[in-house]
Amino acid sequence: MSARGIPYRDKAVETAPREVIEWMQLTALRKQVAAALKTPFYGPRLAERGISSGEDIKTLADIRKLPFTTKNDLREAYPFGLLAVPKEEVVRVHASSGTTGTPTVIYLTQHDLDMASDTMARSLQAAGGTKDDIIQNMMTYGLFTGGLGFHYGAEKMGAMVIPTSAGNTLRQLKFMKDFGTTMIHATPSYLLHLHAAIEEATDLKRSDLKLRKAITGAEPHSEELRQKIQDKLGIEVYNCYGMSELNGPGVAFECVFRTGLHIWEDRYIMEIINPDTLEPVAEGETGELVMTILCRDAMPLLRYRTRDLTRILLDPCPCGRTHRRIARFTGRTDDMLIINGVNVFPSQIEEVLLKAKGVGANYLIIVEKAGDLDRLTVQVEITPEMFADDARVINALRDTLKSEMTALITINPHIEIKQPGSLPVSEGKAKRVEDRRPKA
Ligand code: DLL
């Protein structure tokens, strides 16, 4: 592709010299620290480190004086401990799974929402999206940012957005055909599922569709899987990374060259650390991505430990953007599972089991593929007393566990009740999770 053909939303910022990006980062970081000082959560933590004003950050290297923030910290600060503006200024809340029943929430002012949408629009334009696109968003609408977060960005770009949300594949296909959808947003596993549905459909051929691009993310996937989806659907597939704590999708995004994900460095400061020593790794080495958000007034987030493992790509991108790229993610440093794009912590499942009467000592969480999608099964040993009880009581326990888990993790598990002592007991640390899915 010629340099002239490269799409930008804001070329001056996207191709700004490194010194300019760093100046923007320093200015914004000082503002974020000043905002953080106003919050009940960060106030005392920053004071402890001798930081009493944004001006205490003299250079970008001073970021290392700031504390890390973790998902557990967000739980501690739930619901409003990180609020830096009067509550009346908040116009939107999003949330993601916490490690227990307490979710991690973010709040946004109207200005924050505009910035988040602009970041998403910038990402979409980098991938070649335009205002002429007809975009069907197949990610769940609600607290999850893949729905509304993406939607507002696509609208900001000026595209026609069809908010079909997740699931209901036959209706997805009907809309794709009837509206001439050119771009879709879905998890990688759903894209494969969609392809299988197109193959099976008797009243639809691939040539009936105008589809040219898919944006995919929310769960790990390999380059091979991208190729497979591209080949099957005959489209370009772009990797998009984000997390609700950082405003959702579009934090890092592939440009038309699709060789790694640009991080928008005027909106985020990235660090890659060794998760054991918490020290920075050498440039180009794999480590945990740590992010500081620079574009949010309502809720500052300093040095957030994403738990996602990646590395910085050192070669410049032919697109001319100066915002550095990171490689496809290789895993996480914690035990979070991503099941059909939904984050699930084993501790959330355990929390439900511990509360229930009649549940025994052992359980096993199994994640496997059922067709192209993921399936979650929880095998639960019950107590000898419960086992001796009426089948109706046992069925009622199964139903309760199923509905309580569905309420907490938003996906519907299969519950298999097991007799006492029937699950394997491992020596040492119990093995509670079996992820039987092929490696992404
Ligand atoms: O998954 C936001 C999102 C929506 C991203 C739509 C992309 C597209 P959370 O539910 O908070 O937010 O989950 C964030 O999902 O820490 C990663 O572990 C994983 N993840 C997200 N995108 C990717 C990706 C949304 N492209 C968590 N590759 C993150 C690998 C991803 N993992």
Side-chain angles (χ1 to χ4, degrees):
M1 172 171 300
S2 77
R4 276 180 55 216
I6 291 166
Y8 300 101
R9 177 171 177 80
D10 187 344
K11 187 169 179 190
V13 172
E14 291 172 49
T15 60
R18 195 79 225 152
E19 318 79 78
V20 175
I21 294 184
E22 289 183 358
W23 173 81
M24 288 192 277
Q25 288 186 321
L26 183 58
T27 314
L29 180 61
R30 287 181 175 145
K31 241 182 95 189
Q32 290 296 313
V33 169
L37 279 162
K38 292 191 226 153
T39 66
F41 177 79
Y42 283 122
R45 286 170 173 78
L46 290 172
E48 234 172 57
R49 290 174 158 75
I51 295 168
S52 58
S53 121
E55 300 312 305
D56 289 332
I57 304 298
K58 305 272 184 248
T59 68
L60 278 180
D62 285 344
I63 197 164
R64 295 185 61 190
K65 294 185 181 158
L66 303 175
F68 288 106
T69 312
T70 63
K71 222 182 215 312
N72 275 341
D73 291 333
L74 296 193
R75 183 175 60 169
E76 202 182 297
Y78 179 88
F80 283 122
L82 279 161
L83 190 62
V85 298
K87 217 181 281 174
E88 310 78 69
E89 286 183 29
V90 173
V91 298
R92 172 87 68 82
V93 170
H94 275 288
S96 180
S97 317
T99 46
T100 65
T102 308
T104 53
V105 291
I106 60 156
Y107 4 93
L108 304 145
T109 64
Q110 185 58 55
H111 180 251
D112 297 341
L113 206 53
D114 291 342
M115 290 297 279
S117 309
D118 184 70
T119 309
M120 186 67 235
R122 200 198 270 178
S123 300
L124 277 171
Q125 283 177 243
T130 74
K131 66 173 202 38
D132 299 331
D133 273 303
I134 298 171
I135 306 185
Q136 204 163 312
N137 188 8
M138 303 179 179
M139 295 249 190
T140 309
Y141 280 65
L143 289 171
F144 178 54
T145 48
L148 288 170
F150 178 90
H151 182 110
Y152 273 61
E155 273 187 1
K156 188 125 192 146
M157 179 173 78
M160 180 201 290
V161 191
I162 312 177
T164 41
S165 195
N168 201 340
T169 307
L170 290 180
R171 193 180 59 174
Q172 301 282 9
L173 294 180
K174 178 173 170 53
F175 274 79
M176 284 170 76
K177 182 176 167 204
D178 295 349
F179 285 93
T181 299
T182 55
M183 222 183 196
I184 53 180
H185 180 221
T187 59
S189 32
Y190 195 70
L191 289 175
L192 281 178
H193 180 70
L194 197 68
H195 171 259
I198 296 173
E199 295 278 279
E200 272 170 31
T202 48
D203 56 345
L204 177 82
K205 298 185 296 301
R206 173 63 184 89
S207 54
D208 293 333
L209 303 176
K210 300 228 168 66
L211 193 63
R212 62 183 192 108
K213 287 177 197 260
I215 308 297
T216 199
E219 61 188 24
H221 56 291
S222 59
E223 189 53 41
E224 290 69 35
L225 186 62
R226 184 230 297 266
Q227 283 301 337
K228 186 170 164 188
I229 300 170
Q230 295 199 139
D231 294 346
K232 279 181 183 276
L233 282 168
I235 56 172
E236 293 172 1
V237 175
Y238 290 81
N239 189 4
C240 162
Y241 168 77
M243 64 197 315
S244 65
E245 294 90 322
L246 301 172
N247 284 355
V251 171
F253 212 89
E254 285 182 323
C255 67
V256 287
F257 290 96
R258 281 172 286 158
T259 51
L261 303 108
H262 290 275
I263 294 244
W264 299 120
E265 293 188 87
D266 57 323
R267 308 256 156 110
Y268 301 93
I269 295 179
M270 75 162 144
E271 298 168 81
I272 310 266
I273 62 161
N274 174 322
D276 299 322
T277 62
L278 306 184
E279 291 299 317
V281 298
E283 226 191 9
E285 262 178 33
T286 297
E288 181 182 332
L289 178 70
V290 170
M291 296 285 271
T292 299
I293 191 161
L294 299 175
C295 54
R296 196 164 61 199
D297 296 337
M299 181 180 161
L301 196 57
L302 306 175
R303 307 189 84 196
Y304 188 62
R305 292 192 57 188
T306 66
R307 307 285 172 181
D308 291 315
L309 292 168
T310 185
R311 67 194 161 85
I312 295 180
L313 298 174
L314 299 173
D315 54 324
C317 185
C319 75
R321 286 184 181 82
T322 43
H323 299 240
R324 287 175 297 171
R325 277 153 39 253
I326 51 170
R328 201 174 271 285
F329 291 87
T330 53
R332 287 184 55 90
T333 65
D334 64 4
D335 58 356
M336 186 178 93
L337 297 159
I338 305 187
I339 303 174
N340 292 325
V342 177
N343 303 347
V344 176
F345 287 94
S347 48
Q348 292 176 294
I349 292 176
E350 187 172 80
E351 190 177 84
V352 172
L353 295 175
L354 289 177
K355 275 198 312 220
K357 215 165 151 260
V359 168
N362 266 328
Y363 67 91
L364 185 64
I365 298 168
I366 300 168
V367 193
E368 59 206 330
K369 281 280 175 203
D372 293 313
L373 301 178
D374 300 330
R375 181 171 57 198
L376 169 66
T377 303
V378 184
Q379 297 184 335
V380 185
E381 263 185 24
I382 51 175
T383 57
E385 300 75 47
M386 176 61 93
F387 191 65
D389 216 326
D390 202 83
R392 272 177 309 180
V393 180
I394 297 178
N395 286 341
L397 172 66
R398 181 189 296 115
D399 293 347
T400 309
L401 293 177
K402 195 176 172 73
S403 61
E404 288 190 2
M405 281 182 204
T406 308
L408 191 59
I409 62 180
T410 73
I411 46 179
N412 212 336
H414 294 259
I415 306 285
E416 285 177 14
I417 299 288
K418 294 284 182 188
Q419 74 181 70
S422 62
L423 288 179
V425 183
S426 36
E427 282 170 29
K429 198 169 154 48
K431 191 169 182 309
R432 305 283 197 199
V433 180
E434 264 184 40
D435 194 339
R436 297 180 183 163
R437 294 172 292 187
K439 265 250 153 284

